Amino acid sequence: MSGLQSRRMFQAGDIILKQGEKGDCAYIIEEGQVEILIQRSDGKSQVISTRGPGTIIGEMAIVDEGPRVATVRAIKDCKMLEITREDFAQRLKTSDPVIQMISQVILTRFRDTLTRAEILHESATVPPPEILERNYASQSDVVESVTISNEFKHALENDQLELHYQPIVDLAAGTVLGFEALMRWTHPEKGFISPGIFIPIAEKSGLIVEASKWALKESCAALKRMENALGQAEQLYVSVNFSSHDFVESDFVENTVGTTAASGLKPWQIKLEITERLLMQQPDNAKETLQRCRDAGMGISIDDFGTGYSSLSYLYYFPIETLKIDQSFIRAMERDNRSRELVRSIIGLGQNMGLNIIAEGVETREEATLLRQMGCEAAQGYHFAKPLPEQKVIELLKTWQPVKISA
Ligand code: C2E
Ligand code: CA
Ligand code: CA
């Protein structure tokens, strides 16, 4: 692990940390002694404590980005071990999600206490309630996240998650090409919890990595069962959503390729759905990872296309197979000329670059017709089918009549 190894020396009298400044590291005192001072608004400073070997200073700055709350000055020559915010974040990421969130709660509470102490000290009056409320509100959010994250972990370990499958339809033939797997969580007391709520919490807590592994494995197994039930092999695919957290795992490719191979499906039957944003966040890592998945035969789809970044050069850079046009453009298409032209351009772009195009969130026959007329090959949305449990998808496909969409 980087960062922790670097040592810094300070001489007696040196200012090590300055109140009000933004810091990005903490120090463990190995040798020497420091004093901690608070600068008051009247300009006077007050020593509040001293610290010696084996203690830590500046720790708040590596947990959040708030300014230093005190000044630290060496009173003897000091030898320090530096911990950077980056190093701390790395360590935190691999720790238990509850520990991650609790550390945030403790920090919020600590900052809150300092704010109160400061206000009381300076005004000698009771602080206005909204100042105190603000911190409590943000704290209860964190507590709620900890609760949900804990419960999600439990759900993951106790088979309480499910996948629903939404058909992706060939607009010319009216047949089903494959499905997108979407995660569903029915909480024993709270009932249905939307992925819009639990996915971001799972991402923040790092639990998404386990959840994605499960989703891929389950999607493969489900597609195999569907093939058996329908008596048709190697005709359908399943598209699984991944997040940026999955990509930084060193065994991502190995796991993804391994899971696909073990399922007995052909690699082309697995599509990895990722957002533009993810690609932009970690381009080099993503390129190599995606290339290895592509070399193994899997498809790469860009989800919510059009909502991320405007640079199109990445379409050449990454080994992409499919663009999924975000549903907001489809929704706006009929009444807004510019959205319609944008959709038309994306379709043209896809055709010119040899990419597949899927329109997301198609709700009406009119939208489907317009898309087909514009040359869009495939679509997904409530007009064709909602995301459904495995058994319902099998029933639907057994009686599926090609949807007729005029050209
Ligand atoms: P997404 O990947 O863009 O998925 C499409 C969302 O649009 C799904 O919402 C789907 O139910 C909904 N949808 C499909 N057709 C229509 C339509 O015609 N009209 C409207 N209004 N909506 C439609 P859902 O299932 O609530 O999922 C929300 C988001 O949560 C997903 O957006 C995805 O970002 C995330 N998510 C869901 N499952 C997973 C998962 O297994 N892994 C990860 N990483 N993210 C997931
Ligand atoms: Ca998706
Ligand atoms: Ca999408």
Side-chain angles (χ1 to χ4, degrees):
M1 191 118 350
S2 65
L4 191 61
Q5 283 74 24
S6 73
R7 285 201 163 69
R8 300 270 312 265
M9 311 298 284
F10 295 92
Q11 288 181 342
D14 285 354
I15 300 285
I16 302 169
L17 310 174
K18 200 155 195 289
Q19 183 175 333
E21 278 183 3
K22 248 180 101 172
D24 58 2
C25 72
Y27 294 107
I28 295 172
I29 307 174
E30 286 192 312
E31 288 169 20
Q33 198 168 23
V34 300
E35 60 183 5
I36 301 176
L37 311 110
I38 299 276
Q39 218 97 37
R40 296 211 314 249
S41 54
D42 59 11
K44 293 197 185 109
S45 58
Q46 186 181 351
V47 175
I48 55 165
S49 74
T50 59
R51 290 202 193 153
T55 55
I56 188 162
I57 51 167
E59 65 281 0
M60 287 167 77
I62 58 173
V63 187
D64 75 2
E65 298 193 6
R68 301 278 191 205
V69 294
T71 293
V72 178
R73 185 164 54 204
I75 45 179
K76 286 185 189 161
D77 290 355
C78 291
K79 189 163 130 198
M80 310 275 201
L81 205 52
E82 187 183 45
I83 309 169
T84 63
R85 186 182 299 139
E86 196 188 335
D87 176 61
F88 181 70
Q90 279 291 334
R91 285 163 191 274
L92 202 59
K93 221 165 67 188
T94 52
S95 73
D96 183 285
V98 174
I99 291 176
Q100 294 178 29
M101 286 181 180
I102 292 287
S103 66
Q104 292 293 347
V105 175
I106 291 170
L107 182 83
T108 311
R109 227 170 248 172
F110 187 38
R111 284 210 185 278
D112 181 42
T113 307
L114 283 173
T115 311
R116 283 160 173 258
E118 214 170 289
I119 296 167
L120 284 171
H121 184 255
E122 287 184 0
S123 64
T125 56
V126 177
E130 63 274 14
I131 291 185
L132 303 179
E133 291 306 319
R134 183 170 42 88
N135 280 324
Y136 283 123
S138 71
Q139 228 177 67
S140 68
D141 280 359
V142 181
V143 172
E144 173 81 8
S145 294
V146 172
T147 310
I148 294 187
S149 141
N150 230 350
E151 289 170 344
F152 183 76
K153 186 161 188 260
H154 184 262
L156 190 56
E157 289 164 353
N158 292 279
D159 298 323
Q160 287 174 8
L161 299 178
E162 229 192 315
L163 290 172
H164 282 190
Y165 302 90
Q166 186 174 37
I168 297 170
V169 175
D170 181 319
L171 284 174
T175 51
V176 175
L177 297 166
F179 313 95
E180 175 174 1
L182 292 155
M183 212 176 279
R184 296 291 177 259
W185 177 20
T186 309
H187 187 284
E189 286 109 42
K190 295 175 187 162
F192 176 80
I193 301 181
S194 161
I197 295 184
F198 72 79
I199 293 286
I201 290 174
E203 286 180 343
K204 212 168 159 218
S205 64
L207 288 168
I208 194 71
V209 175
E210 273 315 300
S212 300
K213 283 186 184 161
W214 170 80
L216 177 65
K217 200 160 171 220
E218 177 57 19
S219 296
C220 289
L223 184 55
K224 206 67 198 159
R225 290 191 293 265
M226 287 183 209
E227 287 189 334
N228 290 337
L230 296 164
Q232 48 171 243
E234 293 176 31
Q235 288 175 34
L236 298 165
Y237 65 75
V238 65
S239 198
V240 182
N241 291 283
F242 288 92
S243 79
S244 56
H245 296 71
D246 299 309
F247 269 64
V248 292
E249 292 295 300
S250 55
D251 65 349
F252 177 77
V253 177
E254 205 184 330
N255 180 67
T256 310
V257 173
T259 304
T260 309
S263 71
L265 295 169
K266 294 286 176 229
W268 73 263
Q269 293 182 280
I270 306 299
K271 317 285 182 204
L272 313 182
E273 273 194 32
I274 52 176
T275 58
E276 268 175 311
R277 212 170 288 275
L278 182 156
L279 294 184
M280 296 299 121
Q281 278 166 0
Q282 20 180 295
D284 293 335
N285 176 32
K287 184 181 163 80
E288 204 217 313
T289 305
L290 293 179
Q291 191 61 55
R292 287 170 62 201
C293 293
R294 196 85 179 98
D295 292 345
M298 287 179 272
I300 314 289
S301 304
I302 303 300
D303 203 359
D304 305 341
F305 185 74
T307 59
Y309 292 76
S310 54
S311 163
L312 292 177
S313 56
Y314 81 84
L315 292 180
Y316 286 103
Y317 187 69
F318 296 109
I320 297 163
E321 182 190 51
T322 303
L323 300 181
K324 298 189 76 173
I325 309 176
D326 189 66
Q327 44 183 291
S328 58
F329 302 117
I330 308 300
R331 188 90 342 100
M333 199 173 59
E334 278 189 286
R335 50 180 166 74
D336 174 28
N337 248 335
R338 286 173 48 176
S339 295
R340 184 161 60 241
E341 289 318 308
L342 193 83
V343 172
R344 199 191 299 280
S345 307
I346 298 174
I347 296 168
L349 181 78
Q351 285 169 339
N352 292 334
M353 294 188 61
L355 301 172
N356 299 330
I357 301 285
I358 299 174
E360 284 196 293
V362 176
E363 291 186 352
T364 65
R365 178 199 296 271
E366 290 71 27
E367 286 167 352
T369 307
L370 188 55
L371 285 161
R372 178 157 189 220
Q373 285 164 356
M374 291 196 284
C376 185
E377 301 139 18
Q380 172 184 353
Y382 298 166
H383 174 61
F384 304 103
K386 290 200 164 177
L388 296 166
E390 186 180 324
Q391 276 312 316
K392 288 264 185 308
V393 169
I394 293 173
E395 282 164 33
L396 182 76
L397 259 73
K398 276 187 175 161
T399 57
W400 185 271
Q401 295 298 319
V403 194
K404 288 203 172 50
I405 299 150
S406 40

